[in-house]
Amino acid sequence: MRAFDYTRPGAVDAAIATHARANSAYLAGGTTLLDLAKINIMQPDQVVDINGLGLDRIERLKDGRVQVGALVTNTALARHELIETHYPVLSQALLSGASTQLRNKATTAGNVMQRVRCPYFRDGTSPCNKRDPGSGCAAIGGVNRETFAVLGTSDQCIAAHPSDMCVAMAAIGATVSVMGPNGPRDIPFDAFHLLPGTSPAREHALEPDELITHVTLDAPPGGARSGYLKLRDRASYQFALASCAAQLSVEGGVIRAPRIALGGVATKPWRATDAERMLDGKVPSRALFEQAASAAFNGATAYEHNAFKIPLGRHAIIAELGALTGLETMQEVS
Amino acid sequence: MTEHFDPGTQQDETASTSRRHFLKTVGASGVAAASVPLWGPAAQARAADDPPPRSDAPRQGLSRIRLNINGHLHTVDIAPQMVLLDVLRNESGLTGTKKGCDHGQCGACTVLVNGQAINSCLSLAISHQTDEITTIEGLEHNGELHPVQAAFWEHDAFQCGYCTSGQIMSAVALLNDKQMGESDAAVREAMSGNICRCGAYRNILAAVQDARQVMKGGA
């Protein structure tokens, strides 16, 4: 690994000021940063360790929302009573991601900031507009199966966002609180991750030197139930081919406040708002779920090796909606 | 280098560790003898590269830190980018922790930090100055193998052995974790971050479940 300087500030302001003095990276759990620093994809001259900032608490706010500190580990978040009770989708998504060792180290903010798993991004030599803007995209026309998207792609980049946690947060609804040289601000979760468009190198809404301090989860509506279904090449320790996070309630026999987000199939944690609108106020049925699932993939673009993700993703939605509403949907689906 | 050894961590009395110590010693001097004369310029350069005595300041660019490893304080001079795995192996002489993929994908480097299993290849050593670190060398107690070590031995839970220390550390962490499920499926899931290229998973699972019973029995 290339040499870098290391500092461990004791306050957020100091961390931001230190970060601004050099080509820097914030160090939370380090499972992405050190991985990519070892292969020169990330090359900070200075690492600012933010583990001394006290951002490792989970609190329920008076308005019912739950505020999660940036440094809460994936393990701690998944196991927290508030999360297990009110946001099972988040707990399930976290526990479906990575390995025990990585979850013990990886943090909430670090997970939000994790980089794509595109092998052409990681190899350091192939054309990649994310790593080397303007160089092209080796994945388009290359091998583009497991870690590639069918939604939100552009002719510049088709890498799927790799997070499970973020898919759950997109379904729940959340706010990313950041602190920067110009003070604090809040970013809606849906607006945090950016589509690749014509500038795949810009992945998120953070301004230079800004630091995520918290992610605050929306309060779930009364009676809400939620869950996460992840489909992958092996049963554990594998990125999603397609996943579905869903939260809804059923009142008087009809679906209320449905929230659906998809993982593994899109370039950012993907809200399926068209599907949500179709479900709202309707009586649960398999036919309804199939319609909603189809709507979720309207406009999808299949590439050479990942066309299977479109039906797979639809099935993930149908199965998860079935699980949440008590309908049997796991039989053959069209 | 040797001044950084804490004699308290060296348990070279058993046949197997004596053999390992022998191989390490002969291996190191053998390389030196094969490459350069001991009195040659390269040997002097090598000596100059060694960390200065503790009474001196660390070399430029290095930080002197103390790590609590297996209950013993180790003083090491390290560069900020050095990961815990490399410091354990290269600076503290604790080579039981293995380097596999070096990217958090294989689990061979698993150690416990404050009781939790982590990949030591993806963690800066300098960030662990207030932590309790446990490596495979720290599991035995007064010459007695930890129940998980004994169970791996009993169940032949390895072939080449390269992943074994990481497997054992993950198993110890999960057996000490009351929130982890006890089913075979839960064990497989909890240990999916430890890859065994020889495919000894069946015996590893049997060893972990056997060790669970031994540990419940108050061993």
Side-chain angles (χ1 to χ4, degrees), chain A:
Chain A
M1 196 156 26
R2 281 161 42 110
F4 49 68
D5 293 332
Y6 170 90
T7 58
R8 186 179 163 111
V12 171
D13 289 354
I16 292 164
T18 304
H19 190 277
R21 281 202 285 271
N23 164 36
S24 303
Y26 290 118
L27 173 71
T31 55
T32 292
L33 174 61
L34 299 179
D35 176 32
L36 293 179
K38 287 183 182 193
I39 53 177
N40 289 326
I41 303 298
M42 295 178 79
Q43 302 187 344
D45 295 320
Q46 174 182 248
V47 163
V48 181
D49 185 344
I50 55 172
N51 285 277
L53 303 184
L55 297 171
D56 56 355
R57 284 184 284 277
I58 300 173
E59 291 178 78
R60 189 164 202 185
L61 305 181
K62 283 176 185 163
D63 60 11
R65 296 186 302 155
V66 172
Q67 188 181 65
V68 182
L71 273 293
V72 173
T73 67
N74 288 180
T75 297
L77 184 59
R79 289 176 160 194
H80 196 276
E81 189 187 356
L82 280 174
I83 306 302
E84 287 185 328
T85 305
H86 300 289
Y87 306 98
V89 62
L90 180 55
S91 190
Q92 292 167 20
L94 284 160
L95 293 175
S96 78
S99 65
T100 304
Q101 293 98 312
L102 289 168
R103 290 192 297 268
N104 286 343
K105 203 78 171 63
T107 64
T108 303
N111 195 316
V112 169
M113 293 293 291
Q114 73 176 289
R115 311 294 299 275
V116 299
R117 305 302 298 197
C118 172
Y120 302 109
F121 169 74
R122 290 176 61 90
D123 73 14
T125 59
S126 299
C128 173
N129 290 318
K130 194 179 276 294
R131 169 168 41 74
D132 183 12
S135 63
C137 174
I140 298 174
V143 176
N144 47 36
R145 182 182 173 274
E146 180 192 353
T147 58
F148 297 94
V150 294
L151 293 166
T153 59
S154 75
D155 60 3
Q156 302 270 310
C157 180
I158 63 170
H161 194 272
S163 173
D164 295 296
M165 181 196 82
C166 290
V167 180
M169 286 178 172
I172 292 164
T175 304
V176 182
S177 296
V178 307
M179 181 69 87
N182 301 317
R185 68 187 180 111
D186 287 339
I187 305 169
F189 197 83
D190 284 349
F192 187 86
H193 297 99
L194 305 180
L195 293 173
T198 55
S199 53
R202 184 155 163 73
E203 299 175 332
H204 50 71
L206 286 182
E207 297 295 336
D209 306 314
E210 280 189 326
L211 172 69
I212 298 174
T213 56
H214 303 89
V215 176
T216 305
L217 306 171
D218 290 355
R225 51 189 91 166
S226 70
Y228 189 70
L229 178 63
K230 179 176 180 178
L231 305 174
R232 44 189 159 172
D233 279 331
R234 59 182 179 191
S236 180
Y237 197 16
Q238 189 81 358
F239 292 96
L241 295 169
S243 71
C244 174
Q247 175 182 278
L248 54 79
S249 56
V250 179
E251 291 170 27
V254 300
I255 294 169
R256 295 291 182 202
R259 301 272 302 204
I260 296 175
L262 305 175
V265 294
T267 53
K268 61 175 279 187
W270 191 265
R271 272 285 298 287
T273 48
D274 287 348
E276 292 172 2
R277 275 193 292 273
M278 269 186 181
L279 294 166
D280 199 11
K282 305 276 175 51
V283 176
S285 73
R286 188 173 140 187
L288 176 68
F289 297 164
E290 287 183 14
Q291 284 170 19
S294 291
F297 283 86
N298 278 344
T301 304
Y303 295 86
E304 287 86 344
H305 306 110
N306 73 353
F308 73 96
K309 287 192 173 190
I310 295 174
L312 191 71
R314 286 203 304 256
H315 293 176
I317 295 170
I318 294 165
E320 184 53 36
L321 289 173
L324 289 180
T325 57
L327 280 186
E328 180 54 64
T329 61
M330 292 300 281
Q331 59 224 11
E332 56 168 312
V333 282
S334 56

